[in-house]
């Protein structure tokens, strides 16, 4: 079994990490917003589930212009979510239960309420305060035009004009001004932040927008033109490492510097990059002298197709081996449609368009979606490497696609002129009990409305219930701990079309039927199945089994 002891520096290589979105996990004070004490009170759920670590999405002071990723102070706790003492209690309880703690780090930008940015607004053009960010004069006769054609990920120009006529860069919301990582004061401050949380017992960091820190700020700034401003496609249209602000080669110098901080601790602090870049470039972030690990979103983005998934899995394992790291597997997170719904969308369907329709075009078969999601999860948990789970997927929660537009919080809705609905549907607070004003999330209501259907998914409804999704996850994670040895797999030669079939070096086998027809079940003792088997000889559609 993999060694996940407290002093093992490689604990993360085959770990299962559970993402907690604090505002939607559990509310201890009844104000409708999840908080750190709520997380602490529910940590036994994670321990019982069988994960190895929890990853806390941002809990820092924020006006929530972007769900907490607009950080006003990187070294404090939002008063609505608790205090530093509450954070200390959370870490202590997590460690008592044998859980590691990973926190979100947001280094590309701050909140516009950050003291640095407020100082910059009060300061003159060319001042040291403004140099911490990216300020530029505008174009046009009177500076009335943005400095470049760069576009925000959330829609519209990536530049916002200040009252004195200068423009500042925000690759996300206007409330999230980009930092200037050419500035040594910025670099020193983040080294301080890394030590601040590491000294408080944090075991690792998830690095938000890891591919965005370094920017080409040489004058004159260059336009994107026809290349396009966002997404991985834009990176494929320019020489690697040369995009003006995504995935520049210079970013790796920053992470090599961070690695010195990580390695000063025993065991070294871990890190994982959120880097939406092509596979060959993603491996650079995962090098041992940098962050050590990077999310592989190709598995998440791949259709329910055995050939495509085999290609993605093979490529990810090869890339990880080449850089000495482990593969990472993700099916859901706080930024994407939950996989219990997404996997049922026909190929070619834009999830954003489906959300805009309120989940009606096309209509999704919820029961079939859950069946496919369970099969996908067993496939993922059988793969070598670390798996990242998103809160609520262990309950089989679907996307809440029909949230009324008047309750939406995600800035994407407004910034795209109501063309994209945003990410609120995967951030609806969790149901813990069958009844109550927020199904046990807290004593009051919830900051986003929960549908009545959530009662059937509640922890209380599923705990101890044979065949429930929660019990499937618990069993899978318990078995996974016993079975894990080594970090390789062997594909079964000449597997039928539509079947994913591989053996781990430990001698156990995973077989997934991704077709719409039943197929013969290979011989062997069935350790676990994602769905009931009609007999000992048949593997139904959209079903995964683990065999001894």
């Amino acid at each position: 079994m993999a060694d996940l002891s407290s002093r093992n520096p490689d604990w993360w290589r085959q770990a299962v990490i559970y993402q907690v979105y604090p505002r939607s996990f559990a509310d201890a004070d009844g104000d409708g917003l999840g908080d750190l004490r709520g997380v602490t009170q529910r940590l036994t759920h994670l321990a019982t589930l069988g994960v190895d670590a929890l990853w806390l999405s941002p809990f820092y002071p924020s006006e929530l212009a972007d769900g907490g990723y607009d950080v006003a102070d990187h070294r404090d706790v939002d008063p609505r979510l608790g205090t530093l003492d509450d954070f200390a209690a959370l870490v202590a309880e997590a460690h008592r239960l044998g859980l590691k703690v990973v926190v979100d780090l947001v280094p590309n930008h701050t909140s516009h309420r950050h003291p640095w940015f407020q100082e910059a607004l009060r300061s003159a053009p060319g001042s040291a305060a403004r140099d911490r960010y990216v300020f530029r004069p505008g174009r046009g006769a009177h500076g009335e035009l943005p400095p470049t054609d760069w576009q925000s990920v959330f829609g519209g120009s990536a530049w916002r004009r200040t009252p004195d006529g200068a423009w500042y860069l925000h690759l996300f919301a206007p409330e999230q001004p980009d930092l200037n990582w050419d500035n040594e004061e910025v670099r020193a401050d983040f080294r301080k932040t890394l030590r601040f949380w590491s000294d408080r017992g944090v075991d690792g960091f998830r690095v938000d927008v890891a591919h965005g820190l370094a920017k080409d700020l040489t004058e004159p700034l260059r336009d994107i033109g026809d290349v396009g401003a966002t997404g991985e496609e834009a990176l494929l249209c320019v020489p690697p490492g040369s995009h003006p602000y995504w995935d520049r080669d210079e970013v790796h110098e920053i992470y090599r510097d961070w690695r010195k901080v990580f390695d000063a601790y025993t065991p070294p602090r871990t890190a994982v990059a959120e880097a939406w870049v092509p596979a060959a470039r993603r491996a650079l972030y995962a090098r041992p002298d940098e962050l050590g690990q990077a999310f592989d979103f190709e598995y998440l983005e791949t259709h329910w197709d055995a050939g495509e998934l085999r290609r993605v899995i093979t490529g990810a394992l090869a890339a990880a081996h080449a850089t000495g790291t482990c593969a990472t597997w993700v099916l859901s997170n706080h930024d994407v449609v939950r996989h219990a719904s997404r996997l049922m969308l026909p190929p070619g369907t834009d999830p954003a368009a489906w959300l805009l329709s309120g989940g009606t075009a096309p209509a999704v078969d919820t029961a079939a979606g859950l069946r496919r999601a369970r099969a996908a999860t067993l496939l993922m948990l059988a793969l070598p490497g670390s798996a990242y789970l998103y809160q609520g997927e262990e309950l089989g929660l679907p996307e809440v696609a029909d949230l009324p537009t008047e309750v939406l919080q995600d800035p994407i809705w407004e910034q795209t002129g109501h063309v994209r609905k945003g990410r609120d549907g995967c951030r609806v607070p969790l149901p813990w009990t069958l009844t109550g004003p927020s199904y046990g999330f807290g004593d009051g209501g919830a900051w986003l409305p929960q549908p009545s259907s959530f009662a059937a998914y509640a922890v209380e409804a599923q705990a101890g219930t044979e065949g429930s999704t929660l019990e499937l996850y618990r069993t899978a994670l318990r078995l996974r701990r016993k079975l894990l040895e080594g970090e390789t797999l062997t594909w079964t030669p000449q597997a039928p079309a539509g079947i994913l079939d591989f053996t781990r070096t430990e001698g156990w086998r995973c077989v997934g039927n991704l077709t719409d027809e039943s197929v013969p079940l290979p011989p062997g003792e069935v350790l676990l199945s994602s769905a009931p088997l009609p007999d000992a000889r048949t593997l139904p559609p959209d079903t995964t089994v683990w065999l001894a």
Side-chain angles (χ1 to χ4, degrees):
M1 187 175 73
D3 178 12
L4 297 171
S5 62
S6 62
R7 299 184 70 82
N8 172 25
D10 293 328
W11 67 266
W12 49 275
R13 293 188 68 95
Q14 299 226 57
V16 177
I17 298 95
Y18 182 102
Q19 181 188 359
V20 170
Y21 192 74
R23 291 168 175 82
S24 297
F25 191 70
D27 171 22
D29 60 13
D31 66 353
L33 196 66
D35 45 47
L36 295 186
R37 286 196 297 119
V39 176
T40 304
Q41 291 171 4
R42 295 291 188 180
L43 284 177
T44 53
H45 172 71
L46 303 190
T48 304
L49 186 62
V51 301
D52 303 300
L54 68 146
W55 149 30
L56 280 172
S57 289
F59 50 87
Y60 312 110
S62 171
E63 66 173 325
L64 303 182
D66 180 24
Y69 284 86
D70 48 315
V71 179
D73 186 342
H74 290 83
R75 297 190 289 273
D76 204 353
V77 175
D78 191 309
R80 291 166 293 183
L81 275 66
T83 65
L84 284 171
D85 285 342
D86 292 328
F87 180 82
L90 188 159
V91 172
E93 177 63 4
H95 287 167
R96 186 188 72 80
L97 292 169
L99 299 168
K100 306 287 187 181
V101 178
V102 174
V103 300
D104 232 311
L105 191 70
V106 188
N108 181 69
H109 45 261
T110 71
S111 166
H112 67 150
R113 293 186 175 182
H114 192 286
W116 274 6
F117 193 70
Q118 290 299 306
E119 181 186 359
L121 292 178
R122 296 190 300 267
S123 301
S127 63
R130 289 204 172 185
D131 190 60
R132 297 173 182 139
Y133 294 89
V134 183
F135 279 85
R136 289 294 186 275
R139 296 188 291 193
H142 306 287
E144 72 278 10
L145 300 176
T148 69
D149 64 356
W150 299 357
Q151 296 291 296
S152 164
V153 172
F154 292 162
S157 174
W159 297 94
R160 172 62 64 94
R161 201 175 192 190
T162 62
D164 66 6
W167 295 76
Y168 69 86
L169 179 67
H170 62 88
L171 291 179
F172 294 87
E175 296 86 356
Q176 295 169 289
D178 279 53
L179 288 163
N180 172 19
W181 275 85
D182 289 343
N183 184 303
E184 177 53 36
E185 190 176 2
V186 171
R187 298 189 180 213
D189 193 69
F190 270 88
R191 287 193 290 269
K192 183 177 180 180
T193 296
L194 294 173
R195 294 187 184 100
F196 181 90
W197 295 112
S198 296
D199 291 344
R200 282 160 177 76
V202 163
D203 301 286
F205 300 88
R206 177 264 187 187
V207 184
D208 185 60
V209 195
H211 59 308
L213 277 58
K215 300 171 176 69
D216 182 3
L217 300 178
T218 55
E219 295 292 347
L221 298 183
R222 56 192 174 106
D223 283 341
I224 296 295
D226 296 331
V227 169
T230 61
E232 193 174 309
E233 297 78 12
L235 297 176
L236 298 175
C237 298
V238 297
S242 67
H243 191 278
Y245 51 84
W246 291 139
D247 188 39
R248 292 191 60 78
D249 289 335
E250 299 91 326
V251 78
H252 299 289
E253 175 193 343
I254 296 169
Y255 299 133
R256 283 190 288 271
D257 183 51
W258 287 13
R259 175 49 58 186
K260 297 173 185 175
V261 177
F262 299 151
D263 288 349
Y265 291 86
T266 304
R269 293 332 189 214
T270 66
V272 58
E274 182 210 28
W276 292 87
V277 299
R281 297 287 296 181
R282 184 173 58 246
L284 302 179
Y285 295 81
R287 289 179 290 194
D289 65 337
E290 294 191 29
L291 296 177
Q293 194 177 41
F295 283 127
D296 186 341
F297 295 117
E298 284 190 90
Y299 186 79
L300 180 155
E301 295 176 320
T302 302
H303 298 129
W304 189 240
D305 177 273
E308 286 187 45
L309 283 168
R310 176 167 173 165
R311 175 186 59 79
V312 167
I313 292 166
T314 300
L317 291 174
H321 178 74
T323 55
T325 185
C326 69
T328 62
W329 312 107
V330 188
L331 279 169
S332 285
N333 62 34
H334 64 292
D335 282 334
V336 300
V337 171
R338 285 186 177 275
H339 68 277
S341 298
R342 189 185 68 250
L343 288 174
M344 288 307 298
L345 297 178
T349 302
D350 181 1
W354 176 75
L355 282 176
L356 197 60
S357 76
T360 62
V364 170
D365 184 332
T366 303
L370 179 57
R371 181 183 180 96
R372 190 168 284 182
R374 289 163 56 110
T377 295
L378 274 200
L379 279 170
M380 178 179 74
L381 292 177
L383 295 170
S386 58
Y388 286 78
L389 311 180
Y390 179 51
Q391 64 177 44
E393 70 170 81
E394 78 278 15
L395 306 178
L397 288 184
E399 185 82 2
V400 183
D402 59 352
L403 285 171
T405 57
E406 61 269 19
V407 307
L408 298 180
Q409 305 284 322
D410 194 335
I412 289 176
W413 174 242
E414 294 296 337
Q415 283 196 230
T416 61
H418 301 174
V419 172
R420 290 166 57 198
K421 200 170 183 181
R423 302 158 293 178
D424 291 312
C426 65
R427 301 176 180 183
V428 175
L430 297 189
W432 294 91
T433 60
L434 291 163
T435 59
S438 59
Y439 302 107
F441 170 67
D443 292 337
W447 67 281
L448 281 172
Q450 302 154 299
S452 59
S453 60
F454 263 33
Y457 294 95
V459 174
E460 183 181 17
Q462 298 195 47
T465 300
E466 185 177 355
S468 71
T469 301
L470 175 58
E471 292 302 331
L472 174 69
Y473 270 72
R474 287 175 172 175
T475 303
L477 294 179
R478 184 170 63 250
L479 276 174
R480 189 177 188 273
R481 279 181 178 266
K482 294 179 180 179
L483 296 170
L484 282 187
E485 294 290 346
E487 296 185 19
T488 61
L489 61 75
T490 302
W491 294 105
T492 299
Q494 299 177 332
I499 306 300
L500 279 177
D501 187 347
F502 58 86
T503 301
R504 293 293 303 270
T505 52
E506 304 80 4
W508 58 292
R509 184 175 179 183
C510 177
V511 184
N513 179 7
L514 280 65
T515 74
D516 55 7
E517 301 286 344
S518 294
V519 298
L521 181 66
E525 176 192 357
V526 176
L527 301 175
L528 187 61
S529 175
S530 65
L533 302 179
D535 54 59
R537 300 181 302 278
T538 305
L539 183 61
D542 293 336
T543 302
T544 299
V545 293
W546 292 359
L547 302 171

